[in-house]
Amino acid sequence: MSEPPFRTVIEPFRIHSVEPMVMTTAEQRREAVRAAGFNLFQLPAQEVLIDLLTDSGTGAMSRDQWAAIQHGDESYAGSPSFFIFRDAVRDLFPFEHVIPTHQGRAAEKILFTVLGGPGKVVPNNTHFDTTRANVEFTGAEALDLVIAEAHDARSEHPFKGNMDIAALERLLQERGDDVPCVMVTVTNNSGGGQPVSLENLRAVRATCDAFGKLLFLDACRFAENAWFIRSREPGHGERDVADIVRELASLADGMTMSAKKDPLGNIGGWLALDDDELALHCRNLLILTEGFPTYGGLAGRDLEALAQGLREAVDHDYLRYRIRSTGYLGDALAQAGIPVVRPIGGHAVYIDARALLSHLDPLEYPGQALAIALYETGGVRSCEIGTVMFGRRPDGSERAAAMDLVRLAIPRRTYTQSHIDYVIEVCERVAARAGDLPGYRIVSEPPVLRHFTAEFEPVG
Ligand SMILES: Cc1ncc(COP(=O)(O)O)c(C=O)c1O
């Protein structure tokens, strides 16, 4: 008879090398955030105690990844490190052509330079902001076709990243000639780190086949998505995650990747695809901006670290811990009565700042107000995903975003459970006086992507 599992899911690693954290006082943090124009992107990172700004490139590499770095071969052309990297990618994503890039957006830029252009439209469940920007930069339209449940923060739908198949069919019927490819983002970052089911991806594939369209995955969080399939989708509970990933890949014609996420790299990305002619165009562009096709903007040592990271990314003990530790934070906040987007996603917890700071108008930026309070109170850096990020329209007007969220993104293998317990305490303390938090106004902002550099001041 097998023993029941323990309640505590432990970090499946021991700490091997440590990085000191700088402890600061609330007074120092208030001064630091004021000096940063109340913009958390402008803070020097050493002023931050627990940095949950992003899970991108902020994870801890393993002993074996550091060892792999020593193995890096820096030959300009034909480095053995490239072939180790290519084979590790192909082991999970068996595409014919694997084209390394310095990060995900470079792969997007190359792909859409070839496939995009004025009059074209690219559907996705939800475009990540760099994907959208790269599509739009070519003059094409980036269209989000995620299922309706994705817009309801309280819906418990297990696969809120799913594509709305009926909407995709309608688009292909009405504007099929304008669609160069269909994209699906796994997990759906902009939609709360929510997964896509295998059933849904199979339906997207069938729709693409019916209309003769290419299907690309934006696969940054493929392992987290596959773990959700294993744990939530009937019939997959006994499968090896690597096998699920291979099935996801088998449904697509290609992929873009930011290796700063699930592949456990601090830098890197790739574009992979089967079509020879498309690959030829892409490699020509790669040489213009990234480098020769066997390094593409990365050092040989980076390629080696990624190859090892890919092997670790699909380890079940790691994924069980990873998904549980994000859920642990989200569940604790929900239990404390703090409104969070449900179900808890793979890489981040999203607090509904508009609900928590209901005394503020969206144009007083409740997400910004909450993010600043979390920093001032406990040195926790988070990211506003709301009206500051999305409120400015191309015509210069401003309107409330669909939601005002604060994202607590969890770097991989970086913080322990006691760090997360501390974050929970900080959130509880801020939530207890949420009604007293001031709103903010913008005092200066750039014409685009204002959230990175705008300066703010408290209202009143
Ligand atoms: C879903 C998704 N696609 C693409 C990217 C872009 O990747 P990179 O930051 O490596 O350019 C990101 C990064 O956050 C992402 O989350």
Side-chain angles (χ1 to χ4, degrees), residues 47-68:
E47 310 270 15
V48 176
L49 189 57
I50 306 240
D51 205 346
L52 307 184
L53 185 69
T54 174
D55 67 321
S56 180
T58 52
M61 289 211 297
S62 66
R63 172 196 64 188
D64 295 339
Q65 284 181 286
W66 285 109

Side-chain angles (χ1 to χ4, degrees), residues 56 103-106 108 128 130-131 185 187 189 218 220-221 258 260-261 268:
S56 180
Q103 59 184 88
R105 67 198 68 188
E108 295 163 2
F128 179 67
T130 59
T131 324
T185 305
T187 60
N189 182 7
D218 176 348
C220 306
R221 299 179 181 84
S258 168
K260 300 170 76 174
K261 281 79 173 183

Side-chain angles (χ1 to χ4, degrees), residues 76 82 99-103 106 269 286 290-299 303:
Y76 186 93
F82 169 73
I99 302 173
T101 59
H102 80 278
Q103 59 184 88
L286 182 88
E290 294 286 292
F292 191 73
T294 58
Y295 73 85
L298 292 170
L303 295 168

Side-chain angles (χ1 to χ4, degrees), residues 261-304:
K261 281 79 173 183
D262 277 359
L264 295 163
N266 298 126
I267 194 70
W270 68 83
L271 171 63
L273 67 169
D274 279 331
D275 188 280
D276 296 336
E277 206 182 310
L278 193 53
L280 185 71
H281 283 296
C282 291
R283 282 209 180 90
N284 287 338
L285 286 171
L286 182 88
I287 293 170
L288 279 184
T289 56
E290 294 286 292
F292 191 73
T294 58
Y295 73 85
L298 292 170
R301 55 180 171 270
D302 299 325
L303 295 168
E304 296 264 1

